[in-house]
Amino acid sequence: MTSTAQPPASGARAAHPDHLGHVIFITAAAAMGGFLFGYDSSVINGAVEGIRGKYDVGSATLAQVIAIALIGCAIGAATAGRLADRIGRIRVMQIAAALFTISAVGSALPFALWDLAFWRVLGGIAIGMASVIGPAYIAEVAPPAYRGRLGSFQQAAIVIGIAVSQLVNWGILNLADGDQRGELLGIEAWQVMLGVMVVPAVLYGLLSFAIPESPRFLISVGKVDKAKAILADVEGKHIDLDLRVNEIELAMRSEHKSTFKDLLGSRFGFLPIVWVGIGLSVFQQLVGINVAFYYSATLWQSVGINPSDSFFYSFTTSIINIIGTVIAMIFVDRIGRRPLALIGSAGMALALAFEAWAFSADLIDGKLPHAQGVVALIAAHVFVLFFALSWGVVVWVFLGEMFPNRLRAAALGVAASAQWIANWAITASFPSLSEWNLSGTYMIYTFFAVLSIPFVLKFVKETKGKALEEMG
């Protein structure tokens, strides 16, 4: 959404903190929720076949157990924004950390399949909360000149969490002699994989006590002096603090607490800017990115790759994911969010089309022909690279920046909920779709990657370098 607002007179747009390292620490601590988001989302990749074997379930039931966490994600995302407006951003982080910890312990020691599903939902609620509170908090504490790069910390933490989960899974599998159901520490290997998450969950909780509350929340509850101290810390003492607080207060006085009703328009349900946020969230998932993180080990085994190698390829894909995210962090404030999204859409479409071609080949002795196998592996890595350097980062940056103050919390919650619902649809449908036609499944993902290009060109506006108070 374009804005005719004037640049902040306080100098916020050009603000540079006196101690950038401290601002980076605050951002990294908040982004620890993103690490858990990535870790908890993808750790299940290593447990899929173990769960199938232990509980003797088919693909459809297994898919529901894998995907049910995403229902929790939608609940957590939908409630986090309003909860953060009432009790503060830091308290929501602490609640999420507690839920992550409980989920990790429960998932490692389930009594039955329904019990495992329950702990997955609980972890999903924590992921949903982290998906909203991370980018919102970072956007509120980051100086505008650094906001794109600092906002990218959320996605960087997510991809590092994904990579670490795959590395841990691979290490545990090797300790269990390549058997997901092999015994380790008195339980099966796949249970250890799910239980290890308790370590970063506790760390997230501890870090949440070491970072300040959002200055915007503090101003909203009348703690102006504390807000000024934090603004001076994160934006620099050379800005006019009184004027900066006045700018935020003026924006807050002329607006009201965001509610679901505020998001509604007269013609198409939601306001146009909310639909754009929902569209960004949905397209991020409909290209099938989470198939690579939830099912890649199973996918590679289905075309003839042995379990140890399949886990290794899941890890290398995660490394490519990190490389792409670093590229995005370098360029998101230089060339902007919108150009990166367009570059990524084009690259993903080509890579997915090559994957669809490779998987169209008939298996020979349970394996893809050599040429198609090589193309499938390369294209899978290229797809993840283009996603990571574009939509993986810019969607979270956009969602933290694009909404006016009066809508931000509620709109971010709705957009993130839409993202989790789309994620659930892709995750729950992939096993059945892949049994129907694996090549056709990747053609569907290709179609959505292509469709995202005109969507960005027509509806998405650049937000690079603007103060949040300018988002009118």
Side-chain angles (χ1 to χ4, degrees):
M1 176 174 281
T2 57
S3 173
T4 58
Q6 295 299 311
S10 63
R13 178 180 282 189
H16 295 278
D18 299 315
H19 303 288
L20 182 58
H22 183 55
V23 177
I24 290 172
F25 169 77
I26 292 171
T27 305
M32 189 68 190
F35 178 91
L36 282 157
F37 169 172
Y39 195 102
D40 195 17
S41 295
S42 63
V43 71
I44 196 69
N45 189 10
V48 172
E49 294 307 312
I51 294 169
R52 188 199 301 271
K54 176 153 179 91
Y55 298 108
D56 191 24
V57 294
S59 293
T61 301
L62 181 66
Q64 294 308 315
V65 174
I66 305 305
I68 197 168
L70 301 171
I71 302 300
C73 293
I75 295 170
T79 58
R82 294 299 306 281
L83 195 60
D85 282 343
R86 291 185 179 182
I87 66 174
R89 282 60 167 152
I90 299 299
R91 288 287 178 264
V92 173
M93 291 182 196
Q94 291 163 355
I95 292 170
L99 291 176
F100 276 125
T101 303
I102 295 168
S103 171
V105 175
S107 297
L109 303 169
F111 299 106
L113 192 62
W114 69 265
D115 159 43
L116 175 62
F118 172 77
W119 300 119
R120 294 271 302 149
V121 171
L122 208 61
I125 294 172
I127 295 173
M129 286 182 166
S131 75
V132 169
I133 203 62
Y137 174 86
I138 292 169
E140 290 179 350
V141 300
Y146 295 92
R147 197 189 315 116
R149 279 164 286 181
L150 293 175
S152 300
F153 274 47
Q154 173 78 358
Q155 182 63 19
I158 292 171
V159 299
I160 291 171
I162 291 169
V164 170
S165 75
Q166 300 310 308
L167 181 60
V168 170
N169 284 353
W170 183 51
I172 291 172
L173 185 73
N174 284 313
L175 288 174
D177 298 323
D179 183 2
Q180 289 182 31
R181 299 197 60 195
E183 186 174 324
L184 281 177
L185 305 176
I187 54 179
E188 295 186 5
W190 67 268
Q191 294 174 268
V192 178
M193 293 176 188
L194 299 182
V196 168
M197 192 183 68
V198 74
V199 176
V202 170
L203 179 60
Y204 180 40
L206 293 174
L207 285 172
S208 69
F209 288 97
I211 59 177
E213 183 54 86
S214 158
R216 284 174 177 78
F217 173 75
L218 291 172
I219 290 171
S220 75
V221 295
K223 298 181 179 180
V224 175
D225 289 340
K226 188 177 287 187
K228 283 183 180 179
I230 295 168
L231 285 168
D233 191 27
V234 299
E235 294 190 358
K237 294 183 176 63
H238 57 281
I239 68 167
D240 188 325
L241 290 174
D242 289 328
L243 195 54
R244 185 76 180 102
V245 169
N246 287 340
E247 288 167 357
I248 297 172
E249 285 182 325
L250 178 63
M252 293 170 63
R253 280 199 302 269
S254 63
E255 299 156 359
H256 56 277
K257 294 282 187 182
S258 57
T259 66
F260 185 81
K261 186 182 294 186
D262 294 327
L263 308 182
L264 302 178
S266 57
R267 294 182 60 193
F268 302 107
F270 291 120
L271 294 168
I273 189 64
V274 180
W275 280 118
V276 173
I278 291 171
L280 285 166
S281 290
V282 169
F283 272 117
Q284 189 196 51
Q285 297 302 315
L286 293 185
V287 295
I289 185 60
N290 280 310
V291 168
F293 300 128
Y294 298 162
Y295 294 113
S296 60
T298 298
L299 173 64
W300 297 127
Q301 289 173 53
S302 75
V303 292
I305 293 174
N306 68 59
S308 183
D309 285 347
S310 71
F311 272 55
F312 180 72
Y313 291 139
S314 296
F315 173 62
T316 58
T317 302
S318 300
I319 296 301
I320 294 295
N321 198 17
I322 293 174
I323 293 170
T325 302
V326 171
I327 294 171
M329 291 174 72
I330 292 170
F331 289 106
V332 69
D333 278 328
R334 295 184 182 181
I335 68 173
R337 293 78 161 124
R338 198 164 173 263
L340 279 181
L342 293 169
I343 292 167
S345 293
M348 287 190 296
L350 285 172
L352 287 165
F354 274 108
E355 283 196 83
W357 171 80
F359 289 131
S360 69
D362 293 329
L363 300 183
I364 300 173
D365 296 327
K367 296 183 178 182
L368 283 174
H370 179 72
Q372 281 85 349
V374 171
V375 168
L377 279 171
I378 293 174
H381 286 73
V382 171
F383 164 61
V384 170
L385 176 67
F386 275 97
F387 175 86
L389 65 80
S390 60
W391 285 75
V393 167
V394 298
V395 168
W396 292 111
V397 175
F398 267 130
L399 293 182
E401 293 180 337
M402 66 187 289
F403 301 115
N405 280 346
R406 67 186 178 85
L407 304 178
R408 184 169 297 114
L412 220 168
V414 167
S417 295
Q419 184 174 135
W420 291 118
I421 292 169
N423 191 341
W424 171 82
I426 293 297
T427 303
S429 64
F430 177 75
S432 297
L433 283 174
S434 63
E435 287 183 356
W436 160 69
N437 189 318
L438 186 56
S439 177
T441 302
Y442 274 85
M443 283 305 299
I444 293 171
Y445 302 154
T446 304
F447 168 76
F448 285 117
V450 171
L451 192 61
S452 68
I453 296 174
F455 172 79
V456 172
L457 288 172
K458 184 169 178 61
F459 298 112
V460 179
K461 307 302 181 184
E462 186 59 76
T463 59
K464 182 181 76 168
K466 294 182 179 180
L468 294 183
E469 287 67 42
E470 295 178 80
M471 303 299 175

